[in-house]
Amino acid sequence: MKKILASVGIGNATVDTILPSTTVTPGETVNAEVHITGGNAPQDVGAIRFELETRAKTDEGHTDVDIDRFALTDSLTIEPDTEETRIVEFDIPYETPVTLGNTQVWIETELDIDLAVDPEDTDYLDVQPTPRLQAVFDAMDNLGFSFRTADCELDQRGRYTAGHTFVQEFEFRPQSGPFVSALDEIELIAQPAAEALTIYVEIDRHGGLLSEMTDADERTTSTTIKSTDVATIRDQLKSLIEAHT
């Protein structure tokens, strides 16, 4: 009877992933402990699966999307009222979105148990910008732009992604500085990597009603950021925006 109940999730084994810190940065390697506690009956765990996930906007609403997946494939049998611990090391991919605005990121741990409800654990992460991306944010602030919001969106046409299904978009609005009278907003899409940061820039200029209806007031360009010096990036972005304003 205990095995039958465990198969439908009653008295099932449980799993708990313990992270050294919930604050992470893309490109970082994380070492975590996975604690598996036995339920009321012995259960065979075929694998421990991990999914790093976020939520992206769609035309219909929102959907959960995978950033990365990996697994520990060593099987084990968890006996009743016992605990097993496994160590896992994983990288936070550079394409992991930062948790600004409406963006959430979490890691889901799942025990793969045949003929049973798979136990799960969810841990939400505080994802900080890479040094280059933080320098971009600081440079935008220096140019008089204020951060408004951030969202992940599906990129089904692959305009900005290669091998991934979504992008993170940051929206800024001019509050002071050289562009306050010329622009409505700027949207940035960031693609961090180990050696550089690619930024796609959508510039929304002040325009009349007809221009806004036809998107004639919008310009899109891109640039590559290799420095982490705020002044250097500020000048780079200022020149780029001026050329498309």
Side-chain angles (χ1 to χ4, degrees):
M1 177 61 73
K2 290 182 179 179
K3 288 186 176 181
I4 295 174
L5 292 174
S7 70
V8 295
I10 301 174
N12 207 2
T14 60
V15 62
D16 184 23
T17 297
I18 307 298
L19 301 167
S21 172
T22 56
T23 300
V24 298
T25 303
E28 175 184 350
T29 299
V30 175
N31 291 285
E33 293 183 357
V34 183
H35 296 263
I36 306 162
T37 302
N40 294 334
Q43 290 183 290
D44 295 326
V45 179
I48 307 171
R49 305 191 186 279
F50 304 87
E51 296 180 4
L52 186 63
E53 297 183 285
T54 189
R55 188 167 289 113
K57 290 172 62 177
T58 69
D59 292 339
E60 292 77 29
H62 290 80
T63 186
D64 292 351
V65 292
D66 288 340
I67 304 165
D68 196 16
R69 290 187 176 197
F70 52 97
L72 294 177
T73 56
D74 294 337
S75 61
L76 64 97
T77 298
I78 186 71
E79 299 291 341
D81 301 319
T82 62
E83 184 173 290
E84 296 275 353
T85 300
R86 295 292 185 270
I87 306 298
V88 61
E89 179 181 280
F90 58 93
D91 295 330
I92 304 297
Y94 278 101
E95 60 270 18
T96 303
V98 299
T99 48
L100 290 175
N102 300 315
T103 305
Q104 292 183 315
V105 175
W106 63 93
I107 185 165
E108 190 171 282
T109 309
E110 180 180 285
L111 301 183
D112 185 3
I113 300 176
D114 287 341
L115 305 177
V117 176
D118 291 338
E120 295 181 351
D121 176 52
T122 301
D123 295 277
Y124 284 86
L125 302 179
D126 173 22
V127 184
Q128 295 295 300
T130 63
R132 288 189 186 92
L133 185 55
Q134 183 60 57
V136 168
F137 293 160
D138 293 341
M140 292 292 288
D141 182 69
N142 286 356
L143 289 170
F145 291 92
S146 65
F147 171 77
R148 183 173 180 270
T149 190
D151 273 302
C152 291
E153 299 185 5
L154 291 186
D155 184 27
Q156 294 175 322
R157 296 182 181 179
R159 292 178 61 194
Y160 304 107
T161 56
H164 301 285
T165 59
F166 71 93
V167 295
Q168 186 175 27
E169 185 176 82
F170 305 96
E171 185 177 308
F172 294 85
R173 291 191 174 173
Q175 301 297 318
S176 61
F179 302 107
V180 68
S181 61
L183 302 180
D184 286 332
E185 66 180 23
I186 281 186
E187 296 176 351
L188 303 181
I189 292 174
Q191 288 190 337
E195 302 301 327
L197 167 66
T198 300
I199 293 286
Y200 295 92
V201 185
E202 184 176 289
I203 301 166
D204 189 353
R205 303 175 298 172
H206 286 320
L209 178 61
L210 181 60
S211 295
E212 294 186 358
M213 289 177 62
T214 60
D215 291 336
D217 55 341
E218 294 182 357
R219 297 288 186 272
T220 301
T221 185
S222 64
T223 189
T224 299
I225 306 292
K226 295 186 177 181
S227 174
T228 57
D229 180 71
V230 174
T232 299
I233 296 171
R234 179 197 62 213
D235 293 344
Q236 183 176 347
L237 290 175
K238 184 173 183 289
S239 297
L240 184 75
I241 295 168
E242 286 175 340
H244 293 82
T245 300

